[in-house]
Amino acid sequence: MYSNEDFLIELLKEAGHINDQDIHHARGLKKPNETLIDSLIKSGAISEDDVAKTMAVNSGMEFVDISGYVAPQELKNVVPEAVARRYNVVPLGYEHTRLQVGISDPNNFETLDALPHVIGPDIDIVCCAASAIRALITALYGNEADLAESIVKGGDGAASDTDAPIIRLVQNTLMDAFKTKASDIHIEPMEKDLRVRYRVDGVMHDIDHHPKKLHSSIIARLKIMTGTMSIDEKRVPQDGRIQIKFADKEVDLRVSIIPTSHGESVVMRILDKSSLRLGLVDLGFFSDDQEVFERLITLPDGIILVTGPTGSGKTTTLYACLNFINRPDRKIITVEDPVEYELPGINQVMVKEDIGMTFAAALRAMLRQAPNIIMIGEIRDMETASIAIQASLTGHLVFSTLHTNDAPSAVSRLVDIGIKPFLIASSVRAIEAQRLVRKLCADCKVPATLTEKEMRQLYLDPSQMYGANIMGAHGCNKCRNGGYRGRMSIIEIFKIDDEVRGMINESLPAPVLRRRARELGMRTLREDGIRKVLAGTTTGSEVVEATMSDAS
């Protein structure tokens, strides 16, 4: 389909490619599902190259013949498959740092407006024959029929021919998000269209915009895939899960749907089970901190707390801890809301508050199961905290999380919940605080220097630069030209020794505890981040942004 076909036919006539007799003949051959341009090409009056060259000349765009061109496979990581198929565009390669993108209709202003947003601003658009673009899309991304190989738990149900495009669109979006290593997919109804965004390495990216009329069909498709959501219910929030297999990898999607002023909005959290195999070093722990933390998490009893804001990777760290200490001679039980990953060899309990299965109720029941190790997804109230402390004092090792800005503040948080200081001092063995920062892409990072502003913000002086390996973001195909790929933790570990226990018993405030912890050798979040900047694994701006509250 070409935009403004009548205008294009006039251009082809003016260029001498066709005449009125050709047009009359093509109208006689035209089928109901064909355009007149398609019929003219089919009749042999013109070629697709004639059409593309004419449009290119009229729009002041370069024409590129890509018939027989073999695009490098890595380009499919640069332009999402869903974008390529939706707009019938294809990445052709790089000219210096700019990506050349082929389109079939330079008069399609929706496509021209969208591409800088969904691909990036550093692109050069050229005109190519439509069939050549489709062939290159198939060569890069595979045939659309291959999508059927994705295994969806819960079944498709009865899908009619009219449902098939929606099924493919949804599958395309899920597959593209997984390939992009997105952590979340956001499908958001706007006033006039439907916006699709991915969160990649903690940063939101605008990926696509669909016509608003597709909204209800896409939402219905996702609800069917969960197997538990009501298609007819649109007034209240709903939660569910989708299990899919992509390229022999099992992927769970945690689906949340809420009603908004413009319709139901969807967020899907992508839970890649391969991340379960991550060790502490994969999460960003340097060897010295790894040694300290591994020694702490193998203690026979007590509480180990992991703190940080939402989205700081606390649950992933807890799972890494459980994987490290999981042995056949130990019984481990977790209580979570919700269970994000299923861990082999570990008993996991999901909180269901609507039927009375709260954290506290689950904990009381768990203790009758004679576990060695307990993991509580989050300490939220005094009852849960009290049971966790009693468990730790009776010979259990307890892991849990709290929402605090730094490690020493966790003590104040437990006091605020209602726990007596002497119980905190007796039970808590260590508190780890963390943030996530983006890692520089290992394939394209380049030598760099810190700015004077970054030096001030990080409290660095030139003498500390000796032997440093400062690196900066550049951008390549593997990181979608962002310069970063993946994230890692920056951490601080607050060990509770006898002196600190005495200070907690005296109800000393968090700032005093923090000062003493630093005197005893605790590295702050910012200081750990600085180590990683000097090692060339992240940038100063990442650490500054992640540790704005760390003024010391």
Side-chain angles (χ1 to χ4, degrees):
M1 180 67 70
Y2 296 94
S3 54
N4 203 341
E5 186 179 44
D6 291 339
F7 176 66
L8 177 54
I9 287 174
E10 288 302 315
L11 290 177
L12 290 167
K13 285 174 63 178
E14 289 177 10
H17 292 299
I18 56 173
N19 54 38
D20 290 335
Q21 184 177 351
D22 295 325
I23 295 170
H24 178 74
H25 179 63
R27 287 190 195 280
L29 299 174
K30 183 177 172 297
K31 294 180 179 179
N33 61 342
E34 284 184 339
T35 67
L36 185 54
I37 296 290
D38 290 333
S39 184
L40 282 163
I41 294 171
K42 192 175 179 181
S43 71
I46 53 173
S47 68
E48 272 200 278
D49 282 358
D50 292 333
V51 176
K53 288 175 182 177
T54 300
M55 289 191 294
V57 169
N58 181 68
S59 61
M61 189 177 290
E62 180 186 358
F63 168 78
V64 176
D65 181 3
I66 60 171
S67 56
Y69 174 61
V70 179
Q73 280 294 307
E74 58 265 24
L75 288 177
K76 66 183 179 183
N77 299 319
V78 179
V79 175
E81 181 179 358
V83 171
R85 295 195 189 278
R86 165 159 166 68
Y87 295 106
N88 198 39
V89 302
V90 69
L92 301 176
Y94 281 95
E95 187 71 29
H96 301 297
T97 60
R98 297 182 67 82
L99 176 68
Q100 191 176 63
V101 178
I103 69 171
S104 60
D105 186 358
N107 295 318
N108 188 324
F109 296 110
E110 178 192 355
T111 297
L112 294 175
D113 289 341
L115 291 185
H117 298 287
V118 298
I119 298 177
D122 295 328
I123 58 174
D124 292 324
I125 300 174
V126 297
C127 185
C128 308
S131 63
I133 287 179
R134 289 193 295 270
L136 199 50
I137 287 174
T138 300
L140 276 176
Y141 304 99
N143 196 297
E144 282 190 288
D146 294 340
L147 295 173
E149 294 179 5
S150 295
I151 301 171
V152 181
K153 195 172 206 179
D156 286 340
S160 67
D161 290 341
T162 56
D163 293 328
I166 294 298
I167 292 173
R168 287 198 299 269
L169 176 61
V170 170
Q171 285 293 94
N172 249 335
T173 301
L174 299 183
M175 290 177 70
D176 179 59
F178 179 72
K179 292 175 184 176
T180 306
K181 299 189 181 301
S183 60
D184 310 294
I185 305 169
H186 297 250
I187 300 177
E188 305 160 317
M190 302 288 105
E191 183 179 1
K192 295 181 180 179
D193 63 3
L194 186 65
R195 180 172 66 178
V196 178
R197 295 193 291 172
Y198 299 162
R199 190 187 302 277
V200 182
D201 295 335
V203 179
M204 292 289 282
H205 296 270
D206 203 332
I207 298 298
D208 210 344
H209 289 258
H210 300 306
K212 189 69 178 284
K213 64 184 179 182
L214 299 181
H215 175 239
S216 59
S217 298
I218 291 173
I219 300 300
R221 172 62 187 158
L222 291 170
K223 288 180 176 179
I224 289 171
M225 292 174 73
T226 67
T228 58
M229 292 187 179
S230 169
I231 298 176
D232 297 327
E233 182 57 75
K234 302 178 181 178
R235 301 163 299 171
V236 297
Q238 296 190 65
D239 295 298
R241 295 180 88 98
I242 297 172
Q243 291 182 302
I244 296 181
K245 192 172 183 181
F246 289 141
D248 296 327
K249 279 191 175 182
E250 291 186 2
V251 181
D252 279 0
L253 303 174
R254 198 173 75 201
V255 185
S256 171
I257 298 181
I258 62 169
T260 70
S261 58
H262 295 300
E264 291 178 289
S265 177
V266 182
V267 175
M268 290 176 280
R269 178 84 183 273
I270 301 175
L271 307 173
D272 180 4
K273 293 185 179 180
S274 64
S275 64
L276 294 179
R277 296 187 293 271
L278 295 178
L280 296 177
V281 66
D282 301 305
L283 300 181
F285 283 64
F286 276 169
S287 58
D288 53 352
D289 285 331
Q290 180 183 351
E291 182 181 348
V292 169
F293 203 59
E294 286 178 352
R295 187 166 62 250
L296 290 168
I297 65 178
T298 52
L299 291 171
D301 55 29
I303 296 178
I304 307 293
L305 292 174
V306 177
T307 72
T310 300
S312 59
K314 299 187 297 294
T315 301
T316 302
T317 298
L318 286 181
Y319 281 165
C321 293
L322 294 183
N323 274 330
F324 182 78
I325 60 179
N326 186 15
R327 296 201 313 252
D329 62 338
R330 293 174 173 174
K331 185 176 179 70
I332 303 176
I333 305 181
T334 74
V335 53
E336 305 170 60
D337 183 21
V339 173
E340 292 195 358
Y341 297 96
E342 293 182 3
L343 300 169
I346 293 177
N347 303 275
Q348 294 173 268
V349 178
M350 183 183 297
V351 169
K352 296 181 180 178
E353 295 196 356
D354 55 334
I355 61 171
M357 180 64 89
T358 61
F359 272 108
L363 267 174
R364 282 193 293 267
M366 284 163 54
L367 291 175
R368 294 193 289 272
Q369 296 279 311
N372 302 104
I373 298 160
I374 296 170
M375 192 270 271
I376 308 167
E378 181 184 349
I379 291 179
R380 299 179 177 178
D381 52 44
M382 180 179 177
E383 187 178 15
T384 304
S386 297
I387 298 171
I389 287 174
Q390 291 304 317
S392 72
L393 294 175
T394 54
H396 301 85
L397 181 61
V398 180
F399 293 90
S400 192
T401 69
L402 276 177
H403 289 275
T404 62
N405 285 332
D406 60 15
S409 295
V411 174
S412 301
R413 173 65 178 146
L414 289 173
V415 172
D416 291 342
I417 287 175
I419 303 301
K420 300 295 184 183
F422 78 91
L423 289 174
I424 300 170
S426 302
S427 59
V428 178
R429 298 287 181 262
I431 304 165
E432 184 252 13
Q434 65 181 61
R435 299 289 189 278
L436 292 178
V437 295
R438 291 185 294 171
K439 292 191 294 185
L440 284 165
C441 175
D443 290 287
C444 67
K445 63 182 180 180
V446 294
T449 57
L450 294 174
T451 65
E452 290 186 11
K453 182 179 180 181
E454 287 174 332
M455 294 278 286
R456 288 196 305 272
Q457 290 173 319
L458 295 173
Y459 306 110
L460 286 171
D461 60 66
S463 66
Q464 294 172 275
M465 292 294 100
Y466 179 76
N469 182 35
I470 308 297
M471 305 295 283
H474 178 62
C476 67
N477 294 343
K478 291 187 178 180
C479 62
R480 298 171 69 91
N481 288 313
Y484 297 91
R485 187 159 47 134
R487 289 190 290 176
M488 65 180 175
S489 302
I490 54 174
I491 65 169
E492 62 183 30
I493 301 175
F494 181 28
K495 292 181 289 185
I496 311 297
D497 61 9
D498 289 340
E499 182 178 352
V500 173
R501 287 191 188 93
M503 297 173 73
I504 294 174
N505 273 323
E506 294 174 18
S507 299
L508 296 180
V512 176
L513 293 178
R514 183 172 178 79
R515 281 198 298 272
R516 186 54 185 153
R518 294 201 63 196
E519 290 168 2
L520 294 172
M522 182 188 82
R523 263 188 303 269
T524 67
L525 289 164
R526 179 161 288 186
E527 287 168 343
D528 188 51
I530 290 170
R531 288 206 301 168
K532 287 158 185 173
V533 171
L534 298 180
T537 56
T538 189
T539 58
S541 59
E542 281 290 302
V543 172
V544 169
E545 184 176 351
T547 59
M548 291 296 288
S549 61
D550 189 358
S552 58

